[in-house]
Amino acid sequence: MQRRSEFLPFSPPNIGEEEIAAVVAALRSGWLTRGPQVHEFETAFAMYTGAPAALAVSSCTAALHLALVVNGVGPGDEVITTTMTFASTANVIEHVGAKPVFVDVEADTLNIDPNRVAAALTAKTRAVIAVHYAGHPVNLGALRDICAGAELALIEDAAHAVGASYKGSMVGTSANLAAFSFYATKNLTTGEGGMLTGAPELIDRARPLALHGMSRTAWNRYQKEGNWYYEILAPGFKYNMTDPAAAMGLVQLRRLPAMQARRDAIAGMYDEAFSRLPVVSTPPVRDDVVTARHLYPIQLDRERCGLERAEFIAALAERNIGTSVHFIPLHIHPYYRDTYGYRPGDLPVAYEAYRGLVSLPLHPGLCDDDVSDVIHAVFDALDSAAT
Ligand SMILES: *Cc1c(COP(=O)(O)O)cnc(C)c1O
């Protein structure tokens, strides 16, 4: 067995001296909470994506929650979403008192299948939350047609998709709202953080809700020319981003094109190496998109290679390669399974894909030797199973 000398972690954050200096400068500035750095980060992020408006928040989960609230989704409503996602996509639907309706995915991209969305519409459907899985944009054209026809809000969970585009338009420029994540493992990180982008009238409604529902922020109130008076316009949330986080985000945003180029190069090396492996399928990239390459999920043909996914993950771990699984479909988690009575086979494409899914390390900190260690470990693990 070949084993690299040190464990290769799945997804460490990519933080350098520039980010550290920017955070220190923010700490020295005296503004610890939402202030000038957050404002600048919102402006820079809107410029980068071409979004008409942007609101920086404490997480993507917060951004998704706000998106549902400002679209008026509440008790009695249904929201259609994909089962192949992280828990927050559906948890926020529960937070507003609505019912998540999980639908199946396309077999190639593992993105929400527009045909299944159309089939799941009822008189109660109010919104669709689509996830750009692994950074590959969903079929926005088909989803927009369905949502326009049924007067539904199309909300994008863009946690994986900073920098991605669909038919030449950047993700985040949608007619409704898109929610980005800056969690530690994401393509751009502020430690914890998120951004809501999209229609200015919706962002204007979300802005006070992200800070208690107050009519003015601390930044407005504590300036010399500020005013102590404020009004509570709604029972809002505590979802603001902080200035040190935004300072980190500004540096990460400047570095993003170079970091994305490295992700592309690594994914290209994997694509080429694994094209020779009939027992593994690699993530596809459609002609009309630019993918953000957040993840590199491969699907193992368990029967042909004689390995279960757990055995394959263990074999890679033995070879000092860290991996992960994206995602355990939401409809098989106890809460959603028991509350709504789902069985695994109810969403068969997602469930079958899940049984062979493994995400390989893909981040800009990998050098060429690391990438070839991963490739060799995959071949070696499959060879050992075959002999
Ligand atoms: C990471 C992630 C989230 C949550 O992001 P946070 O910023 O941690 O709230 C939501 N959806 C998907 C698909 C994710 O991968």
Side-chain angles (χ1 to χ4, degrees):
M1 185 179 72
Q2 304 169 5
R3 181 194 281 129
R4 65 177 259 135
S5 51
E6 272 170 47
F7 185 70
L8 187 72
F10 173 69
S11 186
N14 197 293
I15 294 297
E17 290 305 318
E18 263 190 287
E19 282 86 346
I20 293 167
V23 170
V24 169
L27 292 175
R28 291 193 201 286
S29 78
W31 270 103
L32 294 185
T33 174
R34 188 192 155 90
Q37 295 290 315
V38 174
H39 184 76
E40 197 180 324
F41 186 41
E42 286 173 344
T43 307
F45 194 82
M47 283 257 278
Y48 170 75
T49 54
L55 171 65
V57 289
S58 52
S59 69
C60 179
T61 309
L64 289 167
H65 185 197
L66 289 171
L68 290 173
V69 171
V70 298
N71 274 293
V73 180
D77 295 336
E78 291 179 359
V79 179
I80 297 174
T81 193
T82 172
T83 187
M84 193 56 92
T85 185
F86 183 62
S88 24
T89 317
N91 286 353
V92 294
I93 300 171
E94 298 276 336
H95 294 166
V96 298
K99 176 186 174 185
V101 175
F102 296 117
V103 299
D104 215 340
V105 294
E106 301 168 335
D108 58 343
T109 61
L110 303 186
N111 270 326
I112 195 166
D113 183 340
N115 295 318
R116 309 279 180 174
V117 173
L121 294 176
T122 73
K124 293 179 177 173
T125 312
R126 283 293 303 276
V128 174
I129 304 182
V131 179
H132 304 296
Y133 174 81
H136 188 297
V138 295
N139 183 345
L140 276 170
L143 290 174
R144 279 179 189 139
D145 288 347
I146 293 164
C147 290
E151 291 185 40
L152 307 177
L154 176 56
I155 296 165
E156 293 165 53
D157 179 337
H160 300 178
V162 64
S165 61
Y166 172 80
K167 294 191 174 168
S169 305
M170 291 280 273
V171 166
T173 55
S174 57
N176 199 283
L177 292 169
F180 293 87
S181 175
F182 308 136
Y183 181 68
T185 56
K186 299 301 196 314
N187 289 24
L188 185 166
T189 186
T190 59
E192 298 278 4
M195 191 77 78
L196 187 65
T197 69
E201 63 276 15
L202 292 174
I203 295 288
D204 285 347
R205 257 187 266 162
R207 195 173 290 282
L209 290 177
L211 202 67
H212 309 295
M214 287 168 84
S215 56
R216 45 172 69 227
T217 65
W219 176 242
N220 302 132
R221 283 184 294 125
Y222 296 140
Q223 295 289 84
K224 186 162 175 230
E225 62 279 17
N227 186 329
W228 58 269
Y229 188 73
Y230 62 86
E231 291 175 321
I232 296 298
L233 306 173
F237 310 98
K238 187 69 203 300
Y239 280 170
N240 62 286
M241 182 177 275
T242 67
D243 255 29
M248 192 191 311
L250 278 162
V251 176
Q252 288 263 299
L253 189 60
R254 279 197 295 277
R255 291 181 53 214
L256 189 61
M259 292 197 291
Q260 289 299 118
R262 183 63 190 155
R263 283 179 184 274
D264 283 341
I266 295 164
M269 290 185 246
Y270 284 156
D271 284 347
E272 202 197 308
F274 301 138
S275 66
R276 291 179 277 124
L277 260 183
V279 295
V280 154
S281 62
T282 57
V285 183
R286 292 193 180 162
D287 289 341
D288 55 358
V289 308
V290 174
T291 167
R293 288 294 195 189
H294 173 55
L295 300 171
Y296 196 88
I298 60 173
Q299 283 184 57
L300 198 62
D301 185 333
R302 289 150 36 241
E303 260 166 44
R304 280 179 71 183
C305 71
L307 269 185
E308 284 303 317
R309 184 255 314 273
E311 297 169 318
F312 181 62
I313 287 177
L316 291 180
E318 257 186 274
R319 288 161 178 79
N320 268 339
I321 305 297
T323 57
S324 189
V325 174
H326 299 87
F327 289 97
I328 303 163
L330 291 185
H331 75 281
I332 71 171
H333 281 287
Y335 174 77
Y336 291 107
R337 180 194 65 204
D338 298 344
T339 305
Y340 300 109
Y342 285 108
R343 283 157 303 168
D346 287 349
L347 304 174
V349 181
Y351 184 65
E352 279 311 310
Y354 159 66
R355 297 178 73 191
L357 264 182
V358 180
S359 298
L360 299 179
L362 174 59
H363 59 84
L366 296 174
C367 66
D368 287 1
D369 283 346
D370 295 332
V371 177
S372 70
D373 285 347
V374 175
I375 292 169
H376 283 123
V378 168
F379 277 83
D380 193 42
L382 293 170
D383 277 349
S384 316
T387 53

